Amino acid sequence: MRAHIPEAALNDYADGLLPPDQTAGVELHLAACDECGAYVRRLRALSVRLSAAPREGEPGRDLWAGVAARIAAAETAEPVTWETAGSVADDDRESVPGVIPLRSRRAPAATVWLQRAAAAAVLFVGGVGVGQRVGAAPVRVVTTPTQTLSPLQAPAATPTAAATDIQRTGSEYVRAMATFASLSDEASPREVAQAREAAMSALYSAAKALTELPGADSSAVELFRTVAEARARAAGPSREAAALGDSTPGVRF
Amino acid sequence: MEPERPRVPALTVLTPPEPVARSASTPPAPDTGSFEEVYRAHYRRVYALTLRMTCDPGRAEELTQDVFVRVWQTLSSFRGESQLSTWIHTVAVRTTLQHIRAETRREARVMTTDDLSRYAAEAKRAMPDASIDLERAIARLPPGARSVLLLVDVEGYPYEEVAGLLGVTIGTVKSQLHRARRLMMEALER
């Protein structure tokens, strides 16, 4: 019974990858073996078809808006440049933009997460207007005014997961504010006010949860107090505005 | 060591941080206006790859967006060692492979006949010059074999690079490839 050339060698031969001596051996075999010869021909035909397959495809919709919105959300959720940041340039080995330079790389991981979560959380105290700046062009986030933030999943399995949830709530809040700003001319003031309230409640919950994480320090408490005050202020003007039927694009928390 | 306590800022702090203030060596971030040009120049290549690798149009759209967000985030690390298109494509491959690995851990997804028809229809719409028989045969491959076939035989990556991207040996890449080719020939010649 005649031995055939192994599949791997036939492939390597078809791909031109065999050293000269083995190539000669295969060709000697192929001269007398129809089966292996046919296999090589089929491999080559397949290779031609595959290399001719189109390498570009057009999605069913324009995906740029989604890309831009996510970049905007990521940008505005990035940690603020604390005035100390300039002095940590030497310590900062992180190459990914948006990571807070660690004041000390010996800081315990849980505390670093809290710092990042806290930094992300404070960004949305500014409210409207933050989301309107994106590079050269303003970004429209395509959502409805009644869309509310998803509440924090309860409870996260680890402090790190909880901090991540909190951080994400922060960036979602910012994005929501951008939406409200862009829709303030079109949507009913009452709907926008209700949505703002819902967003602020989610924010409040996140800030509160931050104070309950292990390792939370007085900065977390101070952050929570700031959010609580902002929420109290927001509750006043938004209800007034809804009653007056006035649009509230300028509400500052 | 006591970590630095972040101060709660007033409203005036909430302007976007200048990249140079974060780190002296970070180049200025590209503005999204010119980044849209980068997107427009390369999204079709990325979409074709994600579509074929996932065989799921919805997923492919999400992944395409993921890829460009990732490109935006890491653009400062691109040093021009290759063409920008090559670099973006590598980001696309890595991002898609990560997704596929995560999906495989979560569930062993079986492609139904409906899934296949839906995919074939989308492939035809997205890539009018595609051979539907070929695309269907690719879609029916097991995911590992499919990735290897796409990267080597469609996208033209060398074995070494594919091995690196997949975290396997060259021997594994070749055996997956040979198996994929055999399955393809059987499917196409039926």
Side-chain angles (χ1 to χ4, degrees), chain A residues 57-100:
Chain A
E58 191 66 50
R61 58 189 179 93
D62 190 348
L63 301 174
W64 167 248
V67 174
R70 287 172 58 181
I71 288 173
E75 292 274 287
T76 50
E78 276 173 355
V80 173
T81 308
W82 305 110
E83 68 277 13
T84 54
S87 64
V88 303
D90 291 338
D91 289 331
D92 182 15
R93 301 277 168 86
E94 297 278 357
S95 60
V96 177
V99 172
I100 297 183

Side-chain angles (χ1 to χ4, degrees), chain B residues 51 55-58 109 111-125 136:
Chain B
L51 183 62
C55 300
D56 183 334
R109 194 168 168 272
M111 200 172 222
T112 65
T113 320
D114 279 351
D115 290 336
L116 194 56
S117 301
R118 206 169 8 247
Y119 169 70
E122 171 59 14
K124 190 66 193 169
R125 188 208 59 74
R136 285 180 81 104

Side-chain angles (χ1 to χ4, degrees), chain B residues 165-179:
Chain B
L165 288 162
L166 294 172
V168 298
T169 63
I170 291 180
T172 301
V173 171
K174 288 174 84 172
S175 65
Q176 283 276 50
L177 178 67
H178 300 164
R179 175 170 165 245

Side-chain angles (χ1 to χ4, degrees), chain A residues 7-8 11-12 15 17 39 42-43 46-47 49-51 53-67 70-71 74-75 78-86 88-89 92 95 97-99 101 103-104 106-108 111 115 118 122-123 125-126 130 133-137 139 217-219 222-223 226 252-253, chain B residues 1-9 11 13-14 16-18 21-24 29 31-33 35-36 39-41 43-45 47-49 52 60-62 64-66 68-70 72-74 76 122 125-127 129-131 133-135 138 149 153-156 159 174 177-182 184-186 188-189:
Chain A
E7 180 186 73
N11 275 274
D12 283 344
D15 292 337
L17 295 175
Y39 200 80
R42 289 160 68 208
L43 280 173
L46 176 65
S47 170
R49 286 188 77 174
L50 288 171
S51 56
R55 290 199 237 172
E56 294 196 343
E58 191 66 50
R61 58 189 179 93
D62 190 348
L63 301 174
W64 167 248
V67 174
R70 287 172 58 181
I71 288 173
E75 292 274 287
E78 276 173 355
V80 173
T81 308
W82 305 110
E83 68 277 13
T84 54
V88 303
D92 182 15
S95 60
V99 172
R103 275 300 278 172
S104 161
R106 288 189 293 281
T111 315
Q115 284 184 328
V122 297
L123 283 177
V125 177
V130 172
R133 190 286 322 171
V134 178
V139 168
D217 62 4
S218 56
S219 67
E222 191 173 345
L223 170 65
T226 304
R252 287 283 191 271
F253 290 122
Chain B
M1 177 156 171
E2 194 66 27
E4 190 74 355
R5 198 179 136 251
R7 285 182 20 202
V8 177
L11 281 177
V13 186
L14 291 168
E18 286 302 312
R22 277 204 292 274
S23 153
D31 66 278
T32 50
F35 188 67
E36 185 176 354
Y39 167 82
R40 297 269 170 224
Y43 76 93
R44 289 182 198 86
R45 281 279 276 127
Y47 183 65
L49 176 82
R52 283 200 181 107
E61 287 183 355
E62 284 169 23
T64 299
Q65 292 178 324
D66 287 349
F68 282 96
V69 172
R70 185 97 190 112
W72 163 272
Q73 288 171 334
T74 56
S76 58
E122 171 59 14
R125 188 208 59 74
M127 301 180 287
D129 294 339
S131 154
D133 289 343
L134 193 74
E135 301 299 337
I138 295 172
L149 184 91
D153 282 350
V154 174
E155 300 290 343
Y159 291 154
K174 288 174 84 172
L177 178 67
H178 300 164
R179 175 170 165 245
R181 287 170 172 174
R182 180 179 7 104
M184 287 291 291
M185 295 191 296
E186 285 166 9
L188 290 169
E189 291 158 20

Side-chain angles (χ1 to χ4, degrees), chain A residues 168-187:
Chain A
R168 188 168 52 237
T169 302
S171 57
E172 284 177 356
Y173 183 86
V174 171
R175 196 166 22 174
M177 290 302 110
T179 306
F180 299 148
S182 71
L183 292 169
S184 60
D185 289 334
E186 301 155 42

